[in-house]
Amino acid sequence: MGNLCFQTVVLFRMVGTDPTIGCYPKLPDFDGDILLIEQVVRRALDYVLRELSGSQGGFCCGQDADSDGVEGKYYVLSPDELAQALGGADAEHFCRWYGITPAGNFEGKSIPNLLGQAEFDREPEGIATLRERVYDYRLGRTALHRDDKTFTVWNGLAPAALARAGMVLNEPEYLDTARQTAEFLAEKPTTSDGRLLARWRNGDAAHRGKLDDYAFYAYGLLELYGATSDVVYLVRAAGLADQLLERFFDRVHGGFYPYASDGEQLLTRTKEAYDGAMPSGNSAAALVLSRLARLTGDARWREAVDLQLSWLAGAAGNYPAGHSFAMPVFLEELWPSAELVVTARKVPEEFWALLRERPRLGSTVLVKTPESAQALAAIAPFTKDYPIPEQGARYYLCRGGTCARPVDSVSELETLLSPS
């Protein structure tokens, strides 16, 4: 319970990876379904921020299920104790909604759940307030031990979920935390020569990073770039990808090894491609290479991702369901491409609103401002040819190698994005 790995996987799959890549019309309003997804994302992220934030940055790896030596003691409740904590009528309301009964569902007590609620997406009035009161009661009753180790691999995923949610939900706190987590990883479990270490705790970092550490962190940085347009994150992601290719990649057959070539050596160097509760480092690395190839136009990323996808397709061929994170990578590559370059002295808020409305309006979005122009030109040289207007913003949209005329307003851009 309370595991950062689980939380971040849930979140990046809900708000971090959309298989519908390319330009598409505004999503229809599914009312309750959309609101339910937003509610789940917000509650999961709020839990991570509230319970797992480390005192020196980053996120701790989890909380124990046991309290005071009793399994699940913190989580289970009974009608009698809730009656004392909330009062009769409020307790009945809370118990009815969360299925808390005298018989219980776990060793004579109840784990609150919504399994019996047909309309679980329609929370009754007053439940939110009661839930906060029950949370305060639980804290006063017993405490959960927190494992304060910080693992690079799980923290690498956190910025992806936080950045995507922060942009789509227009929630500055999530974006700020994504930035802070990225800075933590750049400073704490990173050596002076830029190599990642796998674990950090109380100032002590140890164990050389593996494939997943690099691939997940690079993925998180690319999502941060997409949500903030801060070119620093794009540059850092490319730096990590360089290390992936140098130390982990099989340049002959494709696929990434779990250990670096100059690190721990086993009898055989196997490659793992299965996407289970956690995605494989190979799938995440493929996504990183694919996005870098399209963002920068650099041939070396294209050559690497083509080889990697060929290997990954072979690995997934007999069991596609076991490669659920690889499938969106294939979709990003196979779907008709769309590239958008925005140039402005200051990008208008209307554009960011459009991104929130259509979080995948294009497979790549580059933003060039006077502050980012030099660094962007170094990593994506083709952007040198895009002038920054004196006033307003200019939008350059290309699809499938064909570029539309540049436009100077978000409304004109929306027209270009609309299906023909």
Side-chain angles (χ1 to χ4, degrees), residues 251-280:
R251 293 181 178 273
V252 176
H253 304 100
F256 288 85
Y257 298 108
Y259 299 94
S261 57
D262 58 351
E264 180 179 355
Q265 298 300 312
L266 304 179
L267 292 177
T268 59
R269 296 189 77 194
T270 58
K271 305 168 190 171
E272 179 58 64
Y274 174 74
D275 299 320
M278 292 280 285
S280 71

Side-chain angles (χ1 to χ4, degrees), residues 225 228-231 234 295 340-348 351-352 365-378 380-390 392-396:
Y225 176 72
T228 66
S229 75
D230 188 337
V231 72
L234 180 58
L295 281 164
L340 177 65
V341 176
V342 183
T343 62
R345 297 194 177 277
K346 182 179 181 181
V347 180
F351 175 72
W352 296 115
V365 178
L366 285 171
V367 176
K368 179 180 177 180
T369 64
E371 293 76 21
S372 68
Q374 184 175 355
L376 197 59
F382 70 91
T383 60
K384 293 179 182 177
D385 299 327
Y386 291 82
I388 299 174
E390 290 297 326
R394 185 156 294 164
Y395 306 93
Y396 301 82

Side-chain angles (χ1 to χ4, degrees), residues 234-246 249 251 256 285-286 288-294 296-308 378-381:
L234 180 58
V235 172
R236 287 182 185 174
L240 291 171
D242 276 327
Q243 295 195 59
L244 281 170
L245 294 183
E246 179 184 350
F249 194 45
R251 293 181 178 273
F256 288 85
V288 168
L289 293 173
S290 174
R291 291 192 180 174
L292 283 174
R294 286 174 288 124
T296 69
D298 192 327
R300 66 196 175 107
W301 303 127
R302 173 50 53 196
E303 293 170 2
V305 73
D306 285 347
L307 181 57
Q308 174 65 4
I379 195 169

